[in-house]
Amino acid sequence: MSTAAAAPTDIVRVYVWEAPVRIAHWVIALAIVVLSATGLYIGHPFLIVTGEARQHFVMGWMKVVHGYTAYVFIAAVVARLIWMFIGNKYAHWDKLIPVHPNRRRGLWPTLRFYLFALRKPPGFVGHNPLAGATYVLVFGLYFLAILTGLTMRGVSADVGSPVRAFAALAPLFGGLQMARWIHHGVMWLLLGFAVHHVYSSVLMSTVEANATVESIFSGYKFVPREDLEYSGYRFVNRRNQIDE
């Protein structure tokens, strides 16, 4: 290995996350927080108030907030799905499903980086292949939460409400009690993912110094020009040689 110092890398400021992606991200994140808090109360009421229920309406307000927040959550998820087809290349659906060979080849090196077996990750500008594949599972959890939630809401919806049609899905989940259990379990899985998501974002931002965390506010990342031009993977071996 040569002892000569590596040439300085040309850093490029790239607009990665467009406004609709950033807005949908934060709306979904905040909605999950509100839905989790109100959902936990609905399942296990922990506030004790005196007097008649009609004077306080605590459970009623929790259900109202939970219901309207659920609709906001659904709208944000749908908006993000639409943007997978009309947004820029970093938001596109093929950055989640690894249909391209270079992204499939990047799965293992990315996993090695997360397991601390590789000092630097492959230089993908947007979502790396492992993160993209993970988001496919996360969106699956979103839809499971939405369908089970609408199923439970449909049972008590007004006769003329279109939401009432979702009550017919109850047998698909094994009944309302099982739908409620699945809904509750998905909540914990999403909260667990949120913890990992924050950790991995901070890790990537610290190691690559590319403003990964800041980009969800500004939309911009700072990446090596070579990664921008070649989608990163073909530079994995070069980076290993420098590090090792």
Side-chain angles (χ1 to χ4, degrees):
M1 182 178 68
S2 174
T3 57
T9 302
D10 186 12
I11 301 298
V12 181
R13 185 171 182 255
V14 184
Y15 188 55
V16 179
W17 308 125
E18 298 170 293
V21 174
R22 303 198 310 274
I23 293 172
H25 173 277
W26 286 115
V27 170
I28 290 172
L30 292 174
I32 289 175
V33 172
V34 175
L35 289 169
S36 298
T38 54
L40 285 172
Y41 181 83
I42 293 170
H44 304 279
F46 51 84
L47 295 178
I48 300 176
V49 293
T50 60
E52 297 181 14
R54 63 180 180 178
Q55 296 176 342
H56 306 284
F57 202 57
V58 177
M59 179 61 76
W61 278 115
M62 289 292 181
K63 289 184 176 181
V64 168
V65 173
H66 192 85
Y68 280 109
T69 304
Y71 291 131
V72 172
F73 174 77
I74 293 172
V77 171
V78 171
R80 181 62 183 92
L81 285 173
I82 292 174
W83 211 252
M84 289 182 188
F85 297 91
I86 65 175
N88 67 12
K89 61 181 180 180
Y90 303 113
H92 207 252
W93 65 268
D94 61 358
K95 298 303 183 292
L96 275 68
I97 302 174
V99 295
H100 301 298
N102 70 312
R103 292 188 67 81
R104 290 196 296 270
R105 290 195 300 268
L107 286 168
W108 175 239
T110 306
L111 178 60
R112 289 185 62 204
F113 168 73
Y114 283 126
L115 295 176
F116 304 104
L118 196 66
R119 291 190 179 183
K120 287 188 177 182
F124 292 92
V125 178
H127 292 309
N128 66 57
L130 190 60
T134 301
Y135 290 136
V136 173
L137 299 178
V138 171
F139 271 89
L141 292 176
Y142 288 166
F143 282 112
L144 192 55
I146 290 170
L147 289 177
T148 52
L150 288 174
T151 298
M152 291 185 289
R153 179 68 184 91
V155 174
S156 59
D158 295 335
V159 175
S161 172
V163 179
R164 192 173 180 84
F166 286 95
L169 296 177
L172 180 65
F173 298 110
L176 285 178
Q177 187 60 34
M178 184 57 68
R180 185 175 290 106
W181 185 88
I182 294 172
H183 196 73
H184 183 78
V186 168
M187 177 199 72
W188 287 112
L189 289 174
L190 289 175
L191 291 177
F193 167 76
V195 173
H196 167 75
H197 179 61
V198 172
Y199 160 76
S200 59
S201 297
V202 173
L203 176 65
M204 295 293 286
S205 187
T206 302
V207 172
E208 293 217 305
N210 63 354
T212 296
V213 174
E214 293 83 352
S215 67
I216 200 57
F217 297 96
S218 67
Y220 288 93
K221 281 187 176 182
F222 297 87
V223 300
R225 185 179 297 277
E226 59 196 19
D227 291 348
L228 181 64
E229 294 173 351
Y230 296 105
S231 299
Y233 180 79
R234 63 181 66 184
F235 289 92
V236 171
N237 290 334
R238 180 188 64 78
R239 287 183 170 186
N240 286 349
Q241 291 169 3
I242 292 174
D243 293 335
E244 297 173 357

